[in-house]
Amino acid sequence: MQFQQLSYFVAVARTRNFTRAAAEVGVAQPSLSKQVRVLENSLGTPLFVRQPGGIELTSAGEALLPHAERILIDVESAQRAVHEVAGLRRGRVRLGATPSICDGLLPEVLTRFHESHPLIELEVHESGSRVLTHELAQGRLDVALLITPLSEERPDLETVLLRRDRLVLAAPVDDALPDAVDVGALRDLPLVMFRTGYDLRETTLAACAAAGFTPQVSVEGGEMLSVLRFVEAGLGYAVVPEMVLANRPALRPVSLRNPSLDRHIALAHRRDTLQLAALAFHDELLLSLQEGVLP
């Protein structure tokens, strides 16, 4: 039983005439009649009673008709769904990003993307770069915003460098610290430390170690939101991307020098696949950066 045979059968059942049915589906009448006979032979029973006054469905034809019509509708729906995805009217983007990127970079670009493609579902996974790299390689994400360089070589992933972010020391807005301090000055300051797995934790610890000291940790194991709130509450200071302080009036950035600290954000995807919807998000993000929309 083939899809084409079912479409011919439904056309004949609807018109009750082989000639009109052939014209409706756009084939020669002998070809249509032949395919209907093949369908009847495969089912082992006639579907139509051919009479001088017209064509009637047999009981077998009556039983088959609703099923055939439903199959044709389902196939048409499937084709339309595929065409909608191909035309970027529908689809899904599974996006991974680190917490600081989710807070400081994503809201604007997600808003722009949703306005351009309102029926494409956005699914955001928030985690550290190591976890996101693994999920991306396993096919559980389409694209990911990661901190580079990656912790390991991943030839199966392609990365595009997006931007360089300056790292600063987050301090309460009324704090007495000057506008810039040496990294060595962190020796005497209580620090609020991110949980294990955060790139910012490793960057902070490495900078302190390079300056020859182990930092004083006042609060250990926080997420981005909780770290910023702890700093606002006066529990300590934290090394963060400057962009996450943009909407935090209770905090101010203190520049770090000798050395200055930064990080690099890249957009990554698997080399062997990039779905159309994910490609559209990729392009929207790059366009937002070029136009200076992002902080």
Side-chain angles (χ1 to χ4, degrees):
M1 186 183 302
Q2 299 177 1
F3 172 76
Q4 185 183 62
Q5 294 169 351
L6 290 178
S7 67
Y8 292 172
F9 162 72
V10 170
V12 175
R14 184 165 52 244
T15 63
R16 303 300 170 102
N17 183 284
F18 278 85
T19 301
R20 288 199 297 270
E24 183 178 290
V25 299
V27 298
Q29 190 268 331
S31 297
L32 180 140
S33 297
K34 179 181 178 181
Q35 288 302 315
V36 171
R37 285 196 298 271
V38 171
L39 177 60
E40 290 176 323
N41 291 337
S42 68
L43 294 173
T45 184
L47 299 174
F48 298 102
V49 177
R50 297 160 179 84
Q51 300 174 342
I55 297 173
E56 297 295 332
L57 286 165
T58 64
S59 58
E62 293 282 0
L64 176 62
L65 182 59
H67 296 284
E69 289 175 330
R70 186 161 56 249
I71 289 172
L72 296 181
I73 291 172
D74 289 343
V75 170
E76 181 182 355
S77 297
Q79 290 173 335
R80 186 166 54 249
V82 171
H83 292 157
E84 286 178 341
V85 171
L88 291 179
R89 291 189 293 274
R90 291 187 181 275
R92 179 180 64 160
V93 178
R94 299 170 301 169
L95 168 67
T98 65
S100 60
I101 294 175
C102 282
D103 183 65
L105 194 65
L106 277 190
E108 290 83 0
V109 71
L110 291 181
T111 298
R112 282 173 58 114
F113 182 79
H114 181 68
E115 290 173 350
S116 301
H117 309 285
L119 296 181
I120 293 181
E121 177 187 353
L122 294 166
E123 182 179 311
V124 179
H125 297 243
E126 185 176 342
S127 192
S129 288
R130 292 184 181 181
V131 173
L132 295 176
T133 298
H134 179 72
E135 291 186 347
L136 191 63
Q138 295 297 313
R140 291 193 286 270
L141 295 175
D142 299 310
V143 292
L145 290 162
L146 307 171
I147 307 304
T148 59
L150 302 179
S151 59
E152 57 180 315
E153 291 292 328
R154 295 306 305 242
D156 55 332
L157 302 182
E158 181 174 331
T159 59
V160 177
L161 183 62
L162 295 179
R163 60 185 284 165
R164 170 184 169 273
D165 271 349
R166 186 168 78 119
L167 300 183
V168 298
L169 190 68
V173 68
D174 57 354
D175 191 85
L177 276 180
D179 291 337
V181 299
D182 292 345
V183 169
L186 302 185
R187 181 195 307 266
D188 302 319
L189 299 176
L191 296 185
V192 178
M193 191 61 63
F194 291 93
R195 65 170 171 79
T196 301
Y198 260 70
D199 301 284
L200 290 168
R201 175 191 178 93
E202 305 306 323
T203 298
T204 302
L205 293 176
C208 293
F213 67 92
T214 300
Q216 306 173 38
V217 177
S218 60
V219 182
E220 172 85 20
E223 301 280 348
M224 175 60 70
L225 182 59
S226 59
V227 164
L228 294 176
R229 286 178 174 172
F230 292 152
V231 176
E232 289 172 342
L235 293 174
Y237 305 86
V239 176
V240 300
E242 187 174 19
M243 66 179 180
V244 304
L245 301 181
N247 298 313
R248 291 274 173 178
L251 297 176
R252 67 181 179 94
V254 175
S255 297
L256 293 170
R257 62 194 181 194
N258 298 322
S260 59
L261 301 181
D262 59 25
R263 66 175 187 172
H264 295 86
I265 298 175
L267 183 64
H269 64 85
R270 288 171 57 96
R271 289 187 183 275
D272 58 357
T273 180
L274 187 59
Q275 301 296 327
L276 283 174
L279 181 60
F281 176 82
H282 173 280
D283 293 343
E284 185 69 52
L285 179 56
L286 294 181
L287 181 62
S288 297
L289 286 167
Q290 292 171 3
E291 295 179 351
V293 173
L294 302 182

